[in-house]
Amino acid sequence: MRHVRSISELGRDRILGLLNLADRMAEINSRPVPKVPALRGRTVVSLFYEDSTRTRLSFETAARRLSADTMNFSVSSSSVNKGESLRDTVETITDMGVDAFVVRHKSAGVPWQIAQWTTAAVINAGDGAHQHPTQALLDAYTITRSRNSQDLAGLRVAIVGDIRHSRVARSNVEAFTALGAEVLLVAPPTLLPPVVSHWPVEVVHDFDSVVDSVDVLYMLRLQAERMNQGLVPSLAEYSTHYGLTPRRVARMSVDAQVMHPGPMNRGVEMVVDPAEIRGSLIHRQVTNGVAVRMAVLFDSLAVEPDHSALREEAR
Ligand code: ASP
């Protein structure tokens, strides 16, 4: 069973394999009927203990395009409210015969725990501030394919903002460096993890000193729900120093690109309207997310991973 729980567990070769497989999925998504029978008879359950719009819908769309059956677990209307434990919930769903759990939870490490309680594949859709591997895969896919390349060698990528609380930053640092990019973290000291000295990155506190020299600016959401202390003096001050303003966009090099995992805090980290940024990849990230999640589900679940089922159309 092939779990997808963290970027480091995947490693460079499997990352590259999944990005190539996502090309096949993007081709399916461009057909008039974007659906193949590749995962017919397989069941994918979404187990989301934290809010989500795009990740949940993206996985569900991906599963349906591969003809898998989907089950949706909603914490607010489940027996979790009667005190049922995570373990009992996972074992109960496993007994129904599911092939994959797509899981999001506020605690780091939950996908690893779940893997001990089920025979199904476990796909991490975000565990606390730890990992969000499919976001990193779709981001790597979006940058490489927008530049007609296979990896990120030679690119300078700045990840800007609330690194401390961001599973996206942790996953992207691992994925981008595995693919050869030079990664800068741009943040105030209070929004960095307590120890970053072992991360393969350069740390910068002055956004203006690097805005004109990067190929990709990856803006992060200021994660108010994970903050239990005043880590920024005020939102206005944060925006002044770390927000993407029209003035900063004007200083970016002509072919530089801007990304954001969503949801955006407009007026906080995104002061400029993204529709006005020529190099914005934000819509492409969402579109590519479906193809990348199809690749992840197919790679984890296909009985005969010989790709022949990707050529047929589902009836
Ligand atoms: N959607 C991403 C996540 O779930 C980023 C964010 O929420 O800021 O981690």
Side-chain angles (χ1 to χ4, degrees), residues 190-208:
T190 49
L191 291 182
L192 285 168
V195 184
V196 276
S197 51
H198 59 289
W199 292 25
V201 295
E202 186 188 330
V203 174
V204 176
H205 301 304
D206 179 3
F207 191 9
D208 288 317

Side-chain angles (χ1 to χ4, degrees), residues 113-160:
Q113 272 181 301
I114 289 181
Q116 292 174 358
W117 300 327
T118 182
T119 46
V122 179
I123 296 166
N124 185 359
D127 61 325
H130 181 220
Q131 282 282 307
H132 193 352
T134 59
Q135 178 73 47
L137 290 170
L138 78 88
D139 290 333
Y141 184 80
T142 301
I143 304 173
T144 53
R145 278 21 179 201
S146 72
R147 292 170 177 263
N148 289 325
S149 69
Q150 294 295 308
D151 65 19
L152 303 175
L155 291 185
R156 197 167 142 85
V157 181
I159 302 179
V160 185

Side-chain angles (χ1 to χ4, degrees), residues 104 132 167-168 221 223 261-263:
R104 171 169 286 191
H132 193 352
R167 53 195 173 208
V168 174
R221 181 173 67 89
Q223 304 210 4

